[in-house]
């Protein structure tokens, strides 16, 4: 959404550069001095005709007036989404801001910080040197792009299609009301969660997909700029560790995670805190989370025993299990507030014997909530 306060500050700056007092500027624009004061204090936006006049007087494009920079015009082959996000990229090694380096003579497009750390854009993905989690069943499963497409086109495969579409609809309704300008998808994988949102978005949005896996992002880029393209949505791909995001503080309107935080395994809470850091004040995290109904119950204890035996506690060790109240307390420790938690489905009864019907139920036995937490 357009931030009235920021636009107001920009107008005040341009007015001062032009050498006008508020009343002289008002006279030039044929509006009242109160109107100028209202814009500059973020209470209102100028009418479109007036905005056009301000743009003309200050030789500033409408996009720069409203969004700070005219990223609409692709520069040297850099697309609009990346150009927009490049304003907020920081070096994950030293936290300095990153500068876009336009290629000369066949070099790759890249980003570089003041300390000389360089990150290339490889196959349209900004590559921060991350590696997939060793032995991850999920990433090993997608053998090649053909296989990736098969998965995307047949989303009935229970192996990855966790839960039912109902929770995506809950997430969508929240996002639709928030109308964010920038959405960050944490540990996006193939983006089965964000796909539902991308299909429906009908306002200008930049979606930043982040994942350890460069390979998956490369395929996502082909898929989401072809078969799944939505012209309202600019897609940006960052291959990085979400526990150390290459993004500046306060630059994202919605942090989205569809099982992404949990996929980060032992870095889950670091990822959740990073999401908080990059959110603008007052902005929201929209995510789903698996919780237990009651830690002490016989059912939970049986599942814990099975998980510990079958997956060495790798996915959801008892230390990582919460009921929804405990989870909210953890959120509050990080700084999030005003939580809305909606239960999507309850816990599965544990099998009577000691064998999992499907290995993947390791991921699916817990109750599921959609949570919205505010910064
Ligand atoms: C099953 S996907 C998550 C589901 C996905 N969000 C979706 O909606 O389809 C798991 C992904 O988490 C990623 N991942 C795990 N740890 C990560 C980390 N520290 N930073 C970024 N991505 C991570 C893996 O590379 C993998 O692609
Ligand atoms: Zn650096």
């Amino acid at each position: 959404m357009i931030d009235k306060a920021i636009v107001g500050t920009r107008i005040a700056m341009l007015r001062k550069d032009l050498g006008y007092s508020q009343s002289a500027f008002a006279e030039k624009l044929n509006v009242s001095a109160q109107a100028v004061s209202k814009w500059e204090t973020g209470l209102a936006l100028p009418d479109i005709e007036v905005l056009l006049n301000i743009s003309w007087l200050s030789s500033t494009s409408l996009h720069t007036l409203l969004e700070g920079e005219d990223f609409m015009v692709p520069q040297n082959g850099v697309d609009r989404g990346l150009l927009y996000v490049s304003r907020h990229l920081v070096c994950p090694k030293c936290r300095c801001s990153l500068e876009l380096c336009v290629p000369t003579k066949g070099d790759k497009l890249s980003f570089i910080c003041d300390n000389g750390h360089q990150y290339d854009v490889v196959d349209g993905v900004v590559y921060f040197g991350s590696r997939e989690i060793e032995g991850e069943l999920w990433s090993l499963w997608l053998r090649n792009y053909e296989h990736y497409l098969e998965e995307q086109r047949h989303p009935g495969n229970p192996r990855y299609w966790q839960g039912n579409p109902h929770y995506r609809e809950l997430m969508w309704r929240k996002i639709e009301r928030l109308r964010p300008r920038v959405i960050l998808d944490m540990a996006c994988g193939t983006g089965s969660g964000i796909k539902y949102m991308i299909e429906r978005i009908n306002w200008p949005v930049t979606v930043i997909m982040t994942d350890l896996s460069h390979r998956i992002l490369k395929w996502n880029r082909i898929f989401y700029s072809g078969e799944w393209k939505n012209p309202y949505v600019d897609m940006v791909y960052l291959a990085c560790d979400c526990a150390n995001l290459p993004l500046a503080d306060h630059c994202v309107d919605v942090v989205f995670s569809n099982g992404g935080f949990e996929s980060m395994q032992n870095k889950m809470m670091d990822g959740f805190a990073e999401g908080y850091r990059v959110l603008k004040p007052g902005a929201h995290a929209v995510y789903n989370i698996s919780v237990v109904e009651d830690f002490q119950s016989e059912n939970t204890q049986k599942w814990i025993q099975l998980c510990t035996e079958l997956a060495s506690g790798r996915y959801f060790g008892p230390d990582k299990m919460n009921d929804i109240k405990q989870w909210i307390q953890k959120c509050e420790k990080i700084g999030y507030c005003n939580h809305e938690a909606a239960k999507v489905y309850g816990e599965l009864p544990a099998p009577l014997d000691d064998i999992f019907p499907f290995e993947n139920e390791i991921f699916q036995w817990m109750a599921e909530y959609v949570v919205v937490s505010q910064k």
Side-chain angles (χ1 to χ4, degrees):
M1 247 186 288
I2 291 171
D3 189 325
K4 287 187 200 140
I6 294 178
V7 175
T9 315
R10 214 169 276 139
I11 291 177
M13 216 174 63
L14 292 172
R15 169 180 65 74
K16 286 175 198 160
D17 285 351
L18 289 167
Y20 292 121
S21 65
Q22 279 194 349
S23 56
F25 198 42
E27 206 177 305
K28 262 275 161 294
L29 293 166
N30 201 20
V31 298
S32 68
Q34 288 96 309
V36 176
S37 159
K38 271 191 181 168
W39 309 333
E40 294 191 1
T41 49
L43 292 174
L45 287 172
D47 287 344
I48 189 74
E49 293 269 354
V50 179
L51 210 53
L52 205 56
N53 291 349
I54 297 173
S55 148
W56 182 264
L57 289 176
S58 60
S59 307
T60 306
S61 76
L62 282 178
H63 270 97
T64 307
L65 268 175
L66 295 174
E67 301 225 66
E69 195 176 311
D70 201 345
F71 57 88
M72 296 297 281
V73 190
Q75 288 166 15
N76 305 305
V78 187
D79 67 41
R80 189 172 65 178
L82 188 55
L83 208 53
Y84 181 77
V85 169
S86 69
R87 296 188 270 164
H88 306 290
L89 287 181
V90 298
C91 173
K93 290 191 183 128
C94 66
R95 314 306 303 167
C96 290
S97 59
L98 286 173
E99 290 300 321
L100 185 65
C101 303
V102 176
T104 51
K105 285 196 233 142
D107 310 350
K108 285 203 168 70
L109 184 72
S110 64
F111 288 89
I112 193 159
C113 78
D114 278 352
N115 296 317
H117 301 126
Q118 184 175 333
Y119 307 98
D120 288 344
V121 180
V122 184
D123 299 315
V125 176
V126 192
Y127 183 50
F128 289 94
S130 53
R131 293 253 172 258
E132 294 178 35
I133 297 176
E134 210 174 313
E136 256 238 353
L137 176 84
W138 183 90
S139 53
L140 289 179
W141 175 256
L142 292 166
R143 295 183 299 270
N144 50 39
Y145 185 59
E146 288 309 307
H147 189 194
Y148 167 94
L149 284 182
E150 218 172 279
E151 285 293 320
Q152 294 286 30
R153 292 181 185 139
H154 297 92
N157 187 339
R159 214 172 168 96
Y160 307 122
W161 201 244
Q162 302 177 8
N164 56 43
H166 174 58
Y167 74 85
R168 296 191 175 87
E169 185 57 30
L170 288 180
M171 290 169 138
W172 164 246
R173 276 186 229 147
K174 185 66 199 178
I175 286 175
E176 190 185 25
R177 264 184 287 138
L178 293 169
R179 287 183 86 83
R181 171 68 184 79
V182 181
I183 302 177
L184 170 67
D185 187 4
M186 300 275 288
C188 63
T190 50
S192 69
I194 198 73
K195 191 158 121 178
Y196 193 88
M197 318 302 141
I198 290 175
E199 199 184 3
R200 287 162 177 77
I201 286 171
N202 58 358
W203 65 91
V205 178
T206 301
V207 168
I208 309 171
M209 281 192 140
T210 51
D211 199 281
L212 287 173
S213 170
H214 179 275
R215 195 169 63 135
I216 291 296
L217 290 170
K218 180 178 80 179
W219 293 340
N220 284 348
R221 180 167 173 268
I222 302 170
F223 187 66
Y224 287 92
S225 51
E227 194 166 322
W228 271 83
K229 186 174 171 57
N230 174 344
Y232 272 117
V233 183
D234 284 350
M235 304 291 294
V236 176
Y237 304 89
L238 309 179
C240 63
D241 185 351
C242 288
N244 182 25
L245 285 169
L247 288 167
D249 299 355
H250 310 163
C251 63
V252 168
D253 297 300
V254 160
V255 161
F256 177 87
S257 155
N258 174 50
F261 293 130
E262 285 165 336
S263 297
M264 293 176 69
Q265 301 184 8
N266 58 357
K267 291 183 176 173
M268 171 173 171
M269 292 316 288
D270 295 333
F272 197 57
E274 273 294 86
Y276 183 84
R277 179 181 68 75
V278 300
L279 276 176
K280 294 179 189 168
H284 298 77
V286 179
Y287 56 99
N288 50 10
I289 187 99
S290 300
V291 292
V292 295
E293 307 271 17
D294 166 14
F295 195 77
Q296 298 307 329
S297 75
E298 210 177 300
N299 195 43
T300 300
Q301 291 301 319
K302 178 76 193 283
W303 276 114
I304 290 172
Q305 181 211 330
L306 288 169
C307 285
T308 314
E309 280 166 14
L310 281 157
S312 322
R314 184 167 142 220
Y315 300 112
F316 297 109
D319 54 321
K320 290 188 197 104
M321 280 176 196
N322 304 286
D323 65 30
I324 193 68
K325 278 201 209 97
Q326 288 167 324
W327 173 251
I328 300 292
Q329 280 164 6
K330 284 191 183 175
C331 294
E332 282 169 358
K333 262 201 189 143
I334 290 176
Y336 288 100
C337 60
N338 296 334
H339 313 277
E340 289 168 27
K343 187 167 169 176
V344 182
Y345 51 78
E347 228 169 71
L348 284 181
L352 294 174
D353 50 25
D354 279 354
I355 298 164
F356 274 90
F358 299 104
E359 192 186 336
N360 201 43
E361 280 189 18
I362 274 183
F363 298 111
Q364 299 188 345
W365 68 269
M366 284 194 245
E368 173 111 336
Y369 279 72
V370 166
V371 185
V372 179
S373 305
Q374 193 174 16
K375 179 165 178 175

